[in-house]
Amino acid sequence: MNNVTRGGQFLVKQTACEDIFTPEDFTEEQLMMRDSVKEFIDKEVWPFKDRFEKKDYAFTEACMRKAGEMGFLSVAVPEAYGGMGMGFVDTVLVCDYISGATGSFSTAFGAHTGIGTMPITLYGTEAQKAKYVPKLASGEWFGAYCLTEPGAGSDANSGKTKAVLSEDGTHYSITGQKMWISNAGFCNLFIVFARIENDKNITGFIVENDPSNGISMNEEEHKLGIRASSTRQVFFNETKVPVENMLSERGNGFKIAMNALNVGRIKLAAACLDAQRRVTSGAVKYANERVQFNVPISSFGAIKYKLAEMATSCYAGESATYRASKDIENRIKLREEAGESHQEAELKGVEEFAIECSILKVAVSEDIQNCSDEGIQILGGMGFSEDTPMESAWRDARISRIYEGTNEINRMLSVGMLIKKAMKGHVDLLAPAMKVAEELMGIPDFDIPDYSELFSEEKDMIIRLKKAFLMVAGSAVQKFGPDLEEHQQLLMAAADMLIEIYMAESTILRTEKLAKKVGQDACKEQIAMAQLYLYKAVDVISQKGKESIVSFASGDEQRMMLMGLRRFTKYTNMPNIVGLREQIAAKLIASNEYCF
């Protein structure tokens, strides 16, 4: 376990395919768990999609109760508190397959098991955990999380909700307004963030939902998507909370909120995966059945293009999400073996990979949006109609780019956190960046390498894409220092480069591992997807790198860096992109579903 990677190190370390976990590595138990979750969704949720779209909040709650009876709400909860105490990968796996049918149920599930329960399991005292967690794990109680306020969204620490200690010191009185509270309509318990006096940071509290204790709500919000997810404004008017219900210590609320969001981000990525599989399968089936000009529309190149791209982004999302999940699980295990409590180990384990969690949140939430958009396009007029599940998938997908921190915030966070890690010495960015600068001054190597081995050129390209990032980000850090935070457009461009590197590398490593296991002939389409994804990643990195260089460098420095960028993004052997898409689409069309 000594070679357990640290968060962000993928950028400066070469990872061997043997060292990453992939969906092909699921154990028998994990596959059984996946199948039981799929069966539950196919039986209890998918056939009733129209009820969710008609805002049947009671039905969402009923489905949550059933999920509780099946034990699905307790996967991540330690056994001591009535949970299954399963590993991080299992948690992500359940979150993935339980979320594909409708965003309404997946939001209720995610808000309850994640930000509704987890802050207590990770930060609660023994007494708090014993009192509340078993009820939340079984689905007897449901949880909600009150952070956002009308004036405090992305700037979460700026909330105005007040907590005032009573004169006798026995309780706090909470007053304030919270909005966009998922599960508010049927929850028994709130995690509420409020400020004590003029503290710099907010504080977390566990608050039971008792209307007679100064808690009231607005009507349900009318939303573009996730229509049957209960979302309300919650008002606290001198709500009394016993002092023993403070979560962690005073002023620790912002930290709790941020760490809850880290876990929420990787789970949100997972929650977009099965939606992509279902949307892709639905599009393939329709394209095979729909006949125009006397042939199925799946025989048209324009449709094959869409199907291949949809499947490829889903495959890449799976590859990166499960890679990071296992890295987090390994890190948690390592800390537990070193004697840390489960609470501490999980907190620190997830925090270690906060960069990857932000990357995944952005990439996969944008992929499901594109995927459902193309799904509508393939179905044409039917896709726009409420009679098919495409339009609801598209509407539900839209929120995933906003919650758990907007994608803009997460882009800036991913690069910001990487720079902080470099400053702390957790990831050595400086030495590799200096090396790249030296390489730019040197004479390029014109020898054509031997690329006969599978993925040898692609892996070489990944190494060079990392150099491109280090060149651009390194120069920007040198130029602006700590003021780089003010240059948001540069941060966003650097983030896009970082995201594509992680996603492309994860996809190539997963496929290389698979090819070693089953042989290249058995996974030709997966190889094609890895190559197609990389080709598009190279394009993004080339474009974003150029945009950055021409915006902050000039003269010789600019010319030198643009030359470097061209060198770092140049293929020796260009892939046949149309051919790759044809190959991927042929497999999907023959299987009549997403089959990877």
Side-chain angles (χ1 to χ4, degrees), residues 356-377:
E356 287 79 353
C357 292
S358 279
I359 286 173
L360 288 165
K361 192 273 181 187
V362 173
V364 189
S365 67
E366 291 179 3
D367 286 341
I368 179 57
Q369 186 84 65
N370 297 334
C371 181
S372 55
D373 198 67
E374 291 289 39
I376 289 180
Q377 198 68 13

Side-chain angles (χ1 to χ4, degrees), residues 124-144:
T125 60
E126 270 314 307
Q128 288 168 346
K129 287 187 287 191
K131 182 174 180 184
Y132 295 115
V133 175
K135 288 179 176 170
L136 293 166
S138 66
E140 180 192 339
W141 277 27
F142 293 120

Side-chain angles (χ1 to χ4, degrees), residues 66-105:
K66 281 185 185 151
E69 285 158 25
M70 297 285 293
F72 298 145
L73 303 181
S74 73
V75 175
V77 172
E79 288 176 45
Y81 309 105
M84 291 191 193
M86 293 171 96
F88 197 79
V89 174
D90 301 285
T91 307
V92 168
L93 180 67
V94 170
C95 190
D96 173 351
Y97 283 91
I98 213 159
S99 302
T102 163
S104 296
F105 178 73

Side-chain angles (χ1 to χ4, degrees), residues 433-446:
M434 301 290 277
K435 258 207 193 97
V436 174
E438 279 164 33
E439 191 178 325
L440 288 180
M441 309 298 280
I443 296 162
D445 181 1
F446 291 111

